[in-house]
Amino acid sequence: MELFRKRGYQVVDFDSEADVYCINTCTVTHVADKKSRQAARRGKRRNPDAIVVVTGCYSQVAPEKVSAIRGVDVVVGTQGRADIVDLVELAMTKRAELPLVAVGDIMSQTEFEEVPISCPTKRIRGFVKVQEGCDEFCAYCRVPFARGPSRSRNPEHILEEVKRLADSGIREIVLTGIHVGAYGRDLERANDQATSGLPWLLEKIHGIPTIGRIRLSSIEPVDIDESLIEKVQGLPKVARHFHIPLQSGDDEVLKRMGRRYQTRDYLRIVERIRDMIPDVAVTTDIMVGFPGETEENFRKSYEFARSLKFSRMHVFKFSGRPGTRAFNMKNQVDSKTRHFRSEKMMQLAQDLESEFSRSLVGKDEEVLVEEYKSRRKLVAGIGSRYTRIEMPGGEDLLGTLVPVRVVGTLGAVVIAERLLPHEEGFKLHGEK
Ligand code: SF4
């Protein structure tokens, strides 16, 4: 959007009539592929003269399928996105043969492609990408084929972007990437620097005075070590929240998935985090119906998740993706069973989420206010521990970080009262 705006375009809603429709695709499941195809067709239906450009992961892994969709004019993958406006304008001249396909070999990329953000559309939370790609090749996952090898963004560019966003009023920065925990490894190899990993980056960002809160998006269990936990513990502006993908709570399934840990390793990490950071929120991703997952495997996975008391679980049904090892594995689980297991796991997720919210009653939190409900004179936002928090308050609180005390819950929603920072007992981060 920013690249287009800089060239004088106005960004409008996808459902409006426009001159250019840009679809950023996903390919994580076959449903994502289907939605991407539908969106591409929808653009051309709205305005048959428009240029339709399709970019992102689906374009990267299946450029021939994307370019064959009727009405698609430009296909860009997950690299070379900085050229997107030039390609659209070339397509507009009708001088080139359409569709223009600009999808290169992603597996040979070694550099992080800079597409900096300077003017966020929502002025409260900013997503800053620090890393791209993944070297793990889990058996079910198409992401390494769509995003290429792991590569870290230059720390100076990250810090510049964070400062810019903070100066523009952004209060929370979310550090994102495909394999965020791998941040810095390639830089260390290339520059022989031992000071460029994630804990180092967190500390640097934390030092920017205008930043209110920093959140790590997702960290693989194999990337969590003592230095990272200590760093989070010692930096009060880092959210008290770890999102650690589990995928399965059964060791046989984890092994077949090609995940490089067992349940005991995962448990050890979570226990260590909880020892060092009391009341921390641990959220996860969990998959059901991986090929060969028996009733017993599923039961173990369910019980493991229950015992870990995740405060939120994103539940996924296995979706076979062409090109991955799991696609051709024997003993695929039928869709009815996958559906049943997913429903059961989602019910557990809901119960655990409410349980976690209840556990916060009487405790102190800090909410980033994002919504004002004028009729009920309430404000709502997300707490440091990634729960939704509501409390009495006015529009003036929008975009601010407010210290609160939790007084109750409504399902998984946390109800709080505003605390003044000088009030005795405010101890979100362990200090008075
Ligand atoms: Fe996919 Fe994540 Fe595994 Fe990488 S670590 S292959 S992105 S599931």
Side-chain angles (χ1 to χ4, degrees):
M1 285 199 280
E2 186 161 327
L3 290 171
F4 277 98
R5 277 204 192 98
K6 276 187 183 151
R7 296 275 279 266
Y9 291 76
Q10 187 196 343
V11 176
V12 295
D13 192 80
F14 192 84
D15 287 322
S16 328
E17 188 170 329
D19 302 307
V20 182
Y21 289 89
C22 184
I23 297 120
N24 190 17
T25 58
C26 172
T27 190
V28 77
T29 63
H30 70 275
V31 177
D33 286 359
K34 191 170 153 201
K35 283 188 181 164
S36 304
R37 290 193 296 270
Q38 284 169 344
R41 289 192 208 103
R42 217 165 67 226
K44 208 59 159 198
R45 271 204 305 274
R46 278 251 157 227
N47 176 9
D49 294 328
I51 297 294
V52 172
V53 48
V54 183
T55 180
C57 292
Y58 186 41
S59 294
Q60 183 66 48
V61 295
E64 63 305 325
K65 282 198 185 150
V66 173
S67 53
I69 301 169
R70 195 154 7 110
V72 169
D73 301 298
V74 180
V75 185
V76 179
T78 56
Q79 194 81 5
R81 290 159 304 169
D83 301 329
I84 208 160
V85 187
D86 287 340
L87 290 164
V88 163
E89 292 185 348
L90 179 61
M92 279 172 172
T93 65
K94 309 272 185 221
R95 281 203 300 269
E97 196 184 320
L98 301 181
L100 289 169
V101 181
V103 179
D105 172 17
I106 197 70
M107 302 317 272
S108 62
Q109 296 299 327
T110 53
E111 297 273 313
F112 182 95
E113 183 187 30
E114 281 291 333
V115 189
I117 306 168
S118 56
C119 49
T121 43
K122 291 195 177 158
R123 300 180 60 84
I124 293 176
R125 179 175 292 113
F127 293 85
V128 174
K129 192 165 161 181
V130 301
Q131 183 275 343
E132 174 66 284
C134 181
D135 300 328
E136 294 288 316
F137 290 93
C138 300
Y140 50 83
C141 184
R142 217 180 188 191
V143 169
F145 304 99
R147 299 295 185 100
S150 176
R151 46 216 193 270
S152 307
R153 187 173 183 188
N154 178 324
E156 279 170 30
H157 297 168
I158 298 172
L159 294 171
E160 275 163 25
E161 186 162 297
V162 171
K163 272 190 206 130
R164 217 167 33 238
L165 294 177
D167 290 347
S168 77
I170 292 284
R171 301 297 291 135
E172 178 176 300
I173 291 290
V174 185
L175 302 182
T176 71
I178 298 295
H179 187 181
V180 173
Y183 179 80
R185 278 183 210 149
D186 52 330
L187 301 179
E188 282 176 23
R189 279 195 300 270
N191 307 331
D192 200 22
Q193 283 178 354
T195 52
S196 48
L198 196 56
W200 175 86
L201 184 67
L202 276 177
E203 186 160 1
K204 287 276 169 203
I205 296 176
H206 197 271
I208 299 173
T210 38
I211 277 296
R213 187 153 85 192
I214 307 157
R215 192 180 293 280
L216 286 168
S217 57
S218 174
I219 300 281
E220 286 294 323
V222 291
D223 298 320
I224 300 179
D225 60 12
E226 202 67 13
S227 70
L228 181 65
I229 307 174
E230 269 175 17
K231 197 56 79 184
V232 174
Q233 183 202 35
L235 298 175
K237 291 197 278 187
V238 179
R240 310 287 94 178
H241 169 212
F242 279 82
H243 182 83
I244 317 170
L246 170 65
Q247 305 303 3
S248 173
D250 179 90
D251 288 336
E252 277 173 27
V253 176
L254 282 175
K255 199 163 172 214
R256 280 205 307 282
M257 284 177 162
R259 303 284 290 171
R260 293 190 291 118
Y261 55 88
Q262 295 277 278
T263 46
R264 63 171 180 277
D265 307 316
Y266 191 98
L267 179 64
R268 203 179 322 115
I269 291 161
V270 173
E271 282 176 346
R272 187 70 190 134
I273 292 172
R274 286 181 172 152
D275 273 355
M276 289 181 65
I277 311 170
D279 299 318
V280 66
V282 180
T283 59
T284 200
D285 299 328
I286 194 157
M287 185 183 289
V288 296
F290 185 77
E293 184 189 68
T294 60
E295 273 303 318
E296 180 59 9
N297 296 143
F298 173 70
R299 192 191 59 75
K300 280 191 185 163
S301 190
Y302 181 92
E303 288 303 331
F304 187 70
R306 183 157 70 174
S307 70
L308 277 177
K309 297 184 184 294
F310 291 112
S311 62
R312 195 175 286 196
M313 298 201 290
H314 298 143
V315 180
F316 298 89
K317 278 185 271 188
F318 170 77
S319 166
R321 309 305 293 129
T324 62
R325 299 196 298 289
F327 187 65
N328 293 318
M329 279 182 182
K330 284 192 221 129
N331 302 324
Q332 298 278 330
V333 177
D334 64 84
S335 70
K336 210 168 140 200
T337 308
R338 272 185 283 155
H339 179 74
F340 174 78
R341 290 179 187 170
S342 150
E343 295 282 303
K344 201 159 177 221
M345 201 63 101
M346 283 200 288
Q347 183 58 53
L348 175 65
Q350 224 177 322
D351 295 346
L352 292 180
E353 196 175 338
S354 303
E355 195 181 313
F356 180 75
S357 295
R358 283 196 299 274
S359 77
L360 294 178
V361 174
K363 298 192 172 137
D364 295 347
E365 247 292 7
E366 190 176 54
V367 55
L368 176 59
V369 178
E370 297 177 58
E371 206 185 319
Y372 170 57
K373 301 178 172 189
S374 57
R375 208 165 45 85
R376 292 162 59 206
K377 302 262 181 300
L378 285 179
V379 289
I382 301 293
S384 174
R385 297 175 178 87
Y386 207 54
T387 52
R388 185 177 161 83
I389 299 181
E390 288 190 358
M391 62 174 181
E395 212 171 355
D396 55 313
L397 293 177
L398 277 175
T400 60
L401 275 165
V402 183
V404 297
R405 179 155 298 153
V406 178
V407 293
T409 60
L410 206 62
V413 177
V414 167
I415 311 297
E417 274 173 2
R418 195 171 168 188
L419 263 183
L420 295 174
H422 64 262
E423 270 188 70
E424 202 187 341
F426 178 67
K427 49 183 185 304
L428 170 66
H429 309 303
E431 76 270 87
K432 281 261 175 179

